[in-house]
PDB file of all heavy atoms in Angstrom:
ATOM      1  N   ASP A 282     315.736 286.687 108.868  1.00  0.00           N
ATOM      2  CA  ASP A 282     316.264 287.534 107.795  1.00  0.00           C
ATOM      3  C   ASP A 282     316.570 288.932 108.370  1.00  0.00           C
ATOM      4  O   ASP A 282     315.660 289.751 108.570  1.00  0.00           O
ATOM      5  CB  ASP A 282     315.251 287.600 106.660  1.00  0.00           C
ATOM      6  CG  ASP A 282     315.807 288.286 105.412  1.00  0.00           C
ATOM      7  OD1 ASP A 282     316.852 288.935 105.508  1.00  0.00           O
ATOM      8  OD2 ASP A 282     315.150 288.144 104.350  1.00  0.00           O
ATOM      9  N   LYS A 283     317.842 289.173 108.647  1.00  0.00           N
ATOM     10  CA  LYS A 283     318.254 290.420 109.308  1.00  0.00           C
ATOM     11  C   LYS A 283     317.995 291.635 108.427  1.00  0.00           C
ATOM     12  O   LYS A 283     317.581 292.705 108.923  1.00  0.00           O
ATOM     13  CB  LYS A 283     319.737 290.334 109.675  1.00  0.00           C
ATOM     14  CG  LYS A 283     320.210 291.464 110.582  1.00  0.00           C
ATOM     15  CD  LYS A 283     321.634 291.205 111.041  1.00  0.00           C
ATOM     16  CE  LYS A 283     322.088 292.289 112.020  1.00  0.00           C
ATOM     17  NZ  LYS A 283     323.484 292.080 112.515  1.00  0.00           N
ATOM     18  N   ASN A 284     318.200 291.510 107.118  1.00  0.00           N
ATOM     19  CA  ASN A 284     317.953 292.618 106.204  1.00  0.00           C
ATOM     20  C   ASN A 284     316.487 293.003 106.189  1.00  0.00           C
ATOM     21  O   ASN A 284     316.134 294.188 106.116  1.00  0.00           O
ATOM     22  CB  ASN A 284     318.433 292.273 104.794  1.00  0.00           C
ATOM     23  CG  ASN A 284     319.951 292.171 104.712  1.00  0.00           C
ATOM     24  OD1 ASN A 284     320.662 292.820 105.482  1.00  0.00           O
ATOM     25  ND2 ASN A 284     320.440 291.348 103.793  1.00  0.00           N
ATOM     26  N   LEU A 285     315.644 291.971 106.287  1.00  0.00           N
ATOM     27  CA  LEU A 285     314.205 292.241 106.302  1.00  0.00           C
ATOM     28  C   LEU A 285     313.841 293.013 107.559  1.00  0.00           C
ATOM     29  O   LEU A 285     313.023 293.940 107.543  1.00  0.00           O
ATOM     30  CB  LEU A 285     313.423 290.930 106.218  1.00  0.00           C
ATOM     31  CG  LEU A 285     311.902 291.056 106.212  1.00  0.00           C
ATOM     32  CD1 LEU A 285     311.428 291.889 105.013  1.00  0.00           C
ATOM     33  CD2 LEU A 285     311.262 289.670 106.196  1.00  0.00           C
ATOM     34  N   TYR A 286     314.452 292.636 108.692  1.00  0.00           N
ATOM     35  CA  TYR A 286     314.209 293.345 109.948  1.00  0.00           C
ATOM     36  C   TYR A 286     314.589 294.828 109.802  1.00  0.00           C
ATOM     37  O   TYR A 286     313.889 295.729 110.259  1.00  0.00           O
ATOM     38  CB  TYR A 286     315.037 292.718 111.073  1.00  0.00           C
ATOM     39  CG  TYR A 286     314.367 291.557 111.778  1.00  0.00           C
ATOM     40  CD1 TYR A 286     314.202 290.336 111.144  1.00  0.00           C
ATOM     41  CD2 TYR A 286     313.905 291.679 113.079  1.00  0.00           C
ATOM     42  CE1 TYR A 286     313.610 289.277 111.764  1.00  0.00           C
ATOM     43  CE2 TYR A 286     313.316 290.618 113.727  1.00  0.00           C
ATOM     44  CZ  TYR A 286     313.169 289.409 113.077  1.00  0.00           C
ATOM     45  OH  TYR A 286     312.572 288.356 113.711  1.00  0.00           O
ATOM     46  N   GLU A 287     315.762 295.016 109.194  1.00  0.00           N
ATOM     47  CA  GLU A 287     316.262 296.381 109.047  1.00  0.00           C
ATOM     48  C   GLU A 287     315.333 297.220 108.196  1.00  0.00           C
ATOM     49  O   GLU A 287     315.036 298.387 108.540  1.00  0.00           O
ATOM     50  CB  GLU A 287     317.671 296.362 108.442  1.00  0.00           C
ATOM     51  CG  GLU A 287     318.288 297.729 108.284  1.00  0.00           C
ATOM     52  CD  GLU A 287     319.655 297.680 107.624  1.00  0.00           C
ATOM     53  OE1 GLU A 287     320.150 296.531 107.344  1.00  0.00           O
ATOM     54  OE2 GLU A 287     320.226 298.737 107.381  1.00  0.00           O
ATOM     55  N   MET A 288     314.816 296.645 107.096  1.00  0.00           N
ATOM     56  CA  MET A 288     313.954 297.396 106.196  1.00  0.00           C
ATOM     57  C   MET A 288     312.618 297.698 106.878  1.00  0.00           C
ATOM     58  O   MET A 288     312.025 298.768 106.668  1.00  0.00           O
ATOM     59  CB  MET A 288     313.718 296.624 104.903  1.00  0.00           C
ATOM     60  CG  MET A 288     314.989 296.372 104.079  1.00  0.00           C
ATOM     61  SD  MET A 288     315.783 297.900 103.552  1.00  0.00           S
ATOM     62  CE  MET A 288     314.550 298.553 102.460  1.00  0.00           C
ATOM     63  N   LEU A 289     312.139 296.798 107.708  1.00  0.00           N
ATOM     64  CA  LEU A 289     310.846 296.996 108.365  1.00  0.00           C
ATOM     65  C   LEU A 289     310.968 297.950 109.556  1.00  0.00           C
ATOM     66  O   LEU A 289     309.987 298.608 109.937  1.00  0.00           O
ATOM     67  CB  LEU A 289     310.270 295.644 108.845  1.00  0.00           C
ATOM     68  CG  LEU A 289     309.875 294.659 107.746  1.00  0.00           C
ATOM     69  CD1 LEU A 289     309.417 293.354 108.361  1.00  0.00           C
ATOM     70  CD2 LEU A 289     308.780 295.232 106.849  1.00  0.00           C
ATOM     71  N   ASP A 290     312.144 298.056 110.128  1.00  0.00           N
ATOM     72  CA  ASP A 290     312.322 298.897 111.307  1.00  0.00           C
ATOM     73  C   ASP A 290     312.720 300.333 110.937  1.00  0.00           C
ATOM     74  O   ASP A 290     312.745 301.211 111.800  1.00  0.00           O
ATOM     75  CB  ASP A 290     313.416 298.271 112.205  1.00  0.00           C
ATOM     76  CG  ASP A 290     312.967 298.218 113.657  1.00  0.00           C
ATOM     77  OD1 ASP A 290     311.745 298.044 113.883  1.00  0.00           O
ATOM     78  OD2 ASP A 290     313.822 298.306 114.556  1.00  0.00           O
ATOM     79  N   ARG A 291     313.037 300.575 109.624  1.00  0.00           N
ATOM     80  CA  ARG A 291     313.487 301.903 109.194  1.00  0.00           C
ATOM     81  C   ARG A 291     312.281 302.840 109.065  1.00  0.00           C
ATOM     82  O   ARG A 291     311.287 302.451 108.468  1.00  0.00           O
ATOM     83  CB  ARG A 291     314.196 301.802 107.843  1.00  0.00           C
ATOM     84  CG  ARG A 291     314.651 303.149 107.288  1.00  0.00           C
ATOM     85  CD  ARG A 291     315.085 303.032 105.835  1.00  0.00           C
ATOM     86  NE  ARG A 291     316.111 302.030 105.650  1.00  0.00           N
ATOM     87  CZ  ARG A 291     316.579 301.661 104.455  1.00  0.00           C
ATOM     88  NH1 ARG A 291     316.064 302.215 103.364  1.00  0.00           N
ATOM     89  NH2 ARG A 291     317.505 300.748 104.357  1.00  0.00           N
ATOM     90  N   PRO A 292     312.395 304.076 109.537  1.00  0.00           N
ATOM     91  CA  PRO A 292     311.316 305.057 109.307  1.00  0.00           C
ATOM     92  C   PRO A 292     311.481 305.695 107.906  1.00  0.00           C
ATOM     93  O   PRO A 292     312.589 305.971 107.464  1.00  0.00           O
ATOM     94  CB  PRO A 292     311.540 306.071 110.419  1.00  0.00           C
ATOM     95  CG  PRO A 292     312.979 305.969 110.768  1.00  0.00           C
ATOM     96  CD  PRO A 292     313.408 304.563 110.520  1.00  0.00           C
ATOM     97  N   TYR A 293     310.364 305.828 107.212  1.00  0.00           N
ATOM     98  CA  TYR A 293     310.385 306.393 105.854  1.00  0.00           C
ATOM     99  C   TYR A 293     309.724 307.773 105.902  1.00  0.00           C
ATOM    100  O   TYR A 293     308.689 307.963 106.552  1.00  0.00           O
ATOM    101  CB  TYR A 293     309.639 305.462 104.879  1.00  0.00           C
ATOM    102  CG  TYR A 293     310.313 304.097 104.751  1.00  0.00           C
ATOM    103  CD1 TYR A 293     309.897 303.013 105.511  1.00  0.00           C
ATOM    104  CD2 TYR A 293     311.395 303.955 103.892  1.00  0.00           C
ATOM    105  CE1 TYR A 293     310.532 301.793 105.393  1.00  0.00           C
ATOM    106  CE2 TYR A 293     312.028 302.714 103.784  1.00  0.00           C
ATOM    107  CZ  TYR A 293     311.596 301.643 104.514  1.00  0.00           C
ATOM    108  OH  TYR A 293     312.223 300.431 104.416  1.00  0.00           O
ATOM    109  N   PHE A 394     316.576 295.250 116.450  1.00  0.00           N
ATOM    110  CA  PHE A 394     315.584 295.784 115.512  1.00  0.00           C
ATOM    111  C   PHE A 394     314.185 295.599 116.084  1.00  0.00           C
ATOM    112  O   PHE A 394     313.283 295.117 115.434  1.00  0.00           O
ATOM    113  CB  PHE A 394     315.683 295.067 114.144  1.00  0.00           C
ATOM    114  CG  PHE A 394     317.006 295.278 113.453  1.00  0.00           C
ATOM    115  CD1 PHE A 394     317.984 294.291 113.465  1.00  0.00           C
ATOM    116  CD2 PHE A 394     317.250 296.474 112.795  1.00  0.00           C
ATOM    117  CE1 PHE A 394     319.203 294.493 112.819  1.00  0.00           C
ATOM    118  CE2 PHE A 394     318.477 296.657 112.137  1.00  0.00           C
ATOM    119  CZ  PHE A 394     319.450 295.665 112.162  1.00  0.00           C
ATOM    120  N   LYS A 399     306.538 293.376 114.852  1.00  0.00           N
ATOM    121  CA  LYS A 399     306.559 292.747 113.529  1.00  0.00           C
ATOM    122  C   LYS A 399     306.108 291.286 113.655  1.00  0.00           C
ATOM    123  O   LYS A 399     306.450 290.617 114.642  1.00  0.00           O
ATOM    124  CB  LYS A 399     307.970 292.803 112.921  1.00  0.00           C
ATOM    125  CG  LYS A 399     308.463 294.202 112.638  1.00  0.00           C
ATOM    126  CD  LYS A 399     309.837 294.195 112.084  1.00  0.00           C
ATOM    127  CE  LYS A 399     310.869 293.840 113.156  1.00  0.00           C
ATOM    128  NZ  LYS A 399     310.950 294.882 114.194  1.00  0.00           N
TER     129      LYS A 399
END
Side-chain angles (χ1 to χ4, degrees):
D282 189 346
K283 190 173 183 180
N284 292 332
L285 180 60
Y286 273 71
E287 181 183 357
M288 297 299 295
L289 293 176
D290 227 33
R291 178 192 305 174
Y293 297 95
F394 297 102
K399 296 179 287 294

